[in-house]
Amino acid sequence: MRHVFIIGSKGIPGAYGGYETFVDKLTEYHQNHRELKYHVACKAEKSGEFEYHNARCFQIKALELGAAQAIFYDIASLQACCRYIRKNHIENSVVYILAYRIGPFMKHFQRKIHKLGGVIYTNPDGHEYLRRKWSWLVRKYWRFSERLTVKHSDLLICDSQNIEKYMRETYASYHPETTFIAYGSETDSSSSPETDAKYRKWMKDKNLKSDGYYLVVGRFVPENNFEIMLREFMNSKSGKDLVIITTINDRFMEKLENQLHFQADRRIKFVGTVYHQGLLRKIRENAYGYLHGHEVGGTNPSLLEALGSTNLNLLLKVSFNKEVGQDAALYWTKETGNLAALIDKADRISKEKRAELGGQAKKRIREAYSWEQIANKYEKIFLEH
């Protein structure tokens, strides 16, 4: 039995995010595996344990420490792993850390886990230090933390080939051991009586029509290029709506309104968040097209979900998005007028051509990003590496 300890996600079940979905799917596909036992750190208000997908979920009490909370959560999770490994005399364990928040502490924990007979694997996520929401000092910390994480990890599991290339080239002096395992997605239809009823009600409440809207799903932060997408959509001639499913960021919203006055455009609709996964998939399936402006990070979960659900995908032309979408999507740049022209062109694409692109996108997901494939690759890494 190989014991795998996963830290860095908010936990399972019920928390929605890229890492949370990954852990949920990995434990789901391996829940009856006779040679793998998962232990998952879960952020909680109090300590405790429970079972989910046959994984042991251990709760770590989250301290109110502002931006530093995630760092101390990871440290507390690692300490809990070490105590459990020592107490239960577990040999040959894997401690899998999601993201590189705790670089300055990695040397200490690598030594500790090696003494216990285990290894540390890390998923380095994307270029966190490029996110514009962080101050100069925080960006400096992220870069420093990334370097030390690479130096003191036994294996880097990158969910993007471009991230793997960056790690190998940037930190060549450390000779990092790396491998590429993508993030996953599904291509199955969302249809069910419950989901269909929720979708009809949601559409009526938002005054929307199937096939009558472009969709954006993602965190409401500058590096996802909401300013460009809003401005360009406003400058397009499209008669469709632009539906934006996102978190609330009042300061950023006010800034964009002062710059663009987008609230005067009745086509633009901020509709809040949607946490029901079946409903969200149905909304994607019935969108005329999907706009994707993410440019920081590796393989983005919302992009994979769009390619698995939406026929027409308009993606910002950066290496991460091209790696995933290949010829199954259309691409735009930040140049003024470029996206507006592409939206006008997209409005004229025939239903048959959109269906053809959708078929290519779903094929791309099935062949390279299905959760079954991803789980199989992790099985091999955890048992044979």
Side-chain angles (χ1 to χ4, degrees):
M1 178 72 72
R2 192 91 190 259
H3 291 261
V4 179
F5 296 79
I6 302 179
I7 77 164
S9 76
K10 294 182 181 69
I12 51 174
Y16 296 113
Y19 279 142
E20 291 72 35
T21 302
F22 159 70
V23 178
D24 198 307
K25 288 294 183 181
L26 186 66
T27 54
E28 176 189 342
Y29 275 87
H30 288 166
Q31 61 186 312
N32 297 316
H33 204 295
R34 294 183 178 182
E35 297 178 67
L36 286 172
K37 175 65 178 178
Y38 287 100
H39 307 259
V40 181
C42 301
K43 191 181 291 185
E45 294 180 359
K46 60 181 180 180
S47 301
E49 289 187 10
F50 62 92
E51 290 273 322
Y52 176 73
H53 286 163
N54 285 334
R56 170 183 159 265
C57 300
F58 58 101
Q59 295 170 303
I60 302 295
K61 186 175 180 180
L63 302 176
E64 292 299 329
L65 297 167
Q69 184 192 75
I71 295 172
F72 284 91
Y73 168 60
D74 284 357
I75 291 172
S77 299
L78 273 169
Q79 290 171 334
C81 289
C82 291
R83 286 194 298 269
Y84 188 90
I85 291 168
R86 185 184 296 110
K87 180 180 177 181
N88 293 278
H89 308 289
I90 295 171
E91 298 180 359
N92 200 27
S93 62
V94 174
V95 177
Y96 188 23
I97 303 174
L98 307 177
Y100 49 77
R101 289 179 285 260
I102 55 170
F105 308 92
M106 286 291 288
K107 183 177 181 180
H108 166 74
F109 281 108
Q110 187 184 42
R111 283 178 174 175
K112 201 169 184 178
I113 289 165
H114 281 183
K115 283 183 179 178
L116 293 168
V119 290
I120 289 184
Y121 296 171
T122 304
N123 185 306
D125 199 11
H127 298 318
E128 193 67 31
Y129 64 88
L130 292 178
R131 296 193 188 279
R132 283 174 267 173
K133 68 176 181 177
W134 300 124
S135 66
W136 173 84
L137 188 61
V138 173
R139 289 188 190 187
K140 199 84 172 172
Y141 173 81
W142 278 120
R143 196 69 191 262
F144 177 62
S145 186
E146 177 185 274
R147 179 169 63 82
L148 292 178
T149 297
V150 173
K151 187 175 183 179
H152 298 293
S153 293
D154 298 302
L155 177 68
L156 298 174
I157 302 178
C158 306
D159 65 17
S160 159
Q161 291 171 329
N162 279 279
I163 287 290
E164 182 182 23
K165 180 182 178 184
Y166 162 80
M167 291 295 171
R168 294 180 71 87
E169 292 178 353
T170 305
Y171 301 105
S173 61
Y174 296 152
H175 307 289
E177 186 170 358
T178 69
T179 190
F180 163 65
I181 304 180
Y183 187 83
S185 188
E186 307 283 8
T187 57
D188 297 335
S189 171
S190 66
S191 284
S192 73
E194 181 207 1
T195 300
D196 292 350
K198 282 182 180 291
Y199 173 72
R200 287 193 296 270
K201 183 179 185 306
W202 189 88
M203 292 290 284
K204 184 178 180 181
D205 291 345
K206 306 302 180 186
N207 192 26
L208 296 169
K209 293 181 180 179
S210 295
D211 223 27
Y213 58 93
Y214 286 90
L215 181 65
V216 178
V217 180
R219 286 188 299 169
F220 195 50
V221 291
E223 61 267 19
N224 289 347
N225 289 296
F226 280 93
E227 180 184 346
I228 293 175
M229 290 189 290
L230 287 169
R231 186 186 67 232
E232 293 292 310
F233 191 85
M234 291 172 69
N235 289 333
S236 77
K237 300 181 180 67
S238 182
K240 303 184 187 304
D241 291 317
L242 178 64
V243 174
I244 301 170
I245 295 176
T246 189
T247 49
I248 297 298
N249 183 331
D250 291 332
R251 184 183 296 179
F252 188 38
M253 181 79 81
E254 184 179 348
K255 178 185 176 184
L256 291 184
E257 173 59 20
N258 290 336
Q259 288 178 325
L260 304 172
H261 307 292
F262 64 82
Q263 291 179 5
D265 192 325
R266 293 184 178 181
R267 300 173 298 171
I268 295 173
K269 297 182 177 181
F270 282 83
V271 296
T273 53
V274 176
Y275 289 122
H276 187 285
Q277 295 303 292
L279 173 58
L280 182 56
R281 189 166 183 79
K282 193 81 176 177
I283 294 167
R284 292 183 190 277
E285 288 171 356
N286 287 280
Y288 181 85
Y290 181 80
L291 299 184
H292 188 74
H294 293 51
E295 66 173 323
V296 176
T299 302
N300 183 265
S302 64
L303 173 55
L304 295 181
E305 288 157 9
L307 290 169
S309 306
T310 311
N311 283 339
L312 185 59
N313 292 278
L314 281 57
L315 318 181
L316 176 62
K317 192 176 182 180
V318 293
S319 60
F320 302 113
N321 297 337
K322 285 283 289 182
E323 175 188 325
V324 176
Q326 294 188 352
D327 296 331
L330 306 180
Y331 296 90
W332 50 274
T333 70
K334 292 184 179 182
E335 183 183 350
T336 300
N338 184 272
L339 177 54
L342 184 60
I343 291 169
D344 290 337
K345 178 183 176 182
D347 275 354
R348 299 190 297 269
I349 292 177
S350 69
K351 188 175 182 179
E352 291 74 21
K353 180 61 177 176
R354 283 192 293 127
E356 180 185 329
L357 284 168
Q360 288 179 250
K362 290 176 180 63
K363 182 182 178 185
R364 176 83 181 121
I365 296 299
R366 282 194 301 271
E367 291 181 351
Y369 297 99
S370 74
W371 279 120
E372 184 177 8
Q373 286 187 65
I374 305 311
N376 289 341
K377 289 178 180 178
Y378 270 99
E379 175 189 29
K380 190 172 183 179
I381 284 289
F382 290 151
L383 292 179
E384 298 178 15
H385 191 270

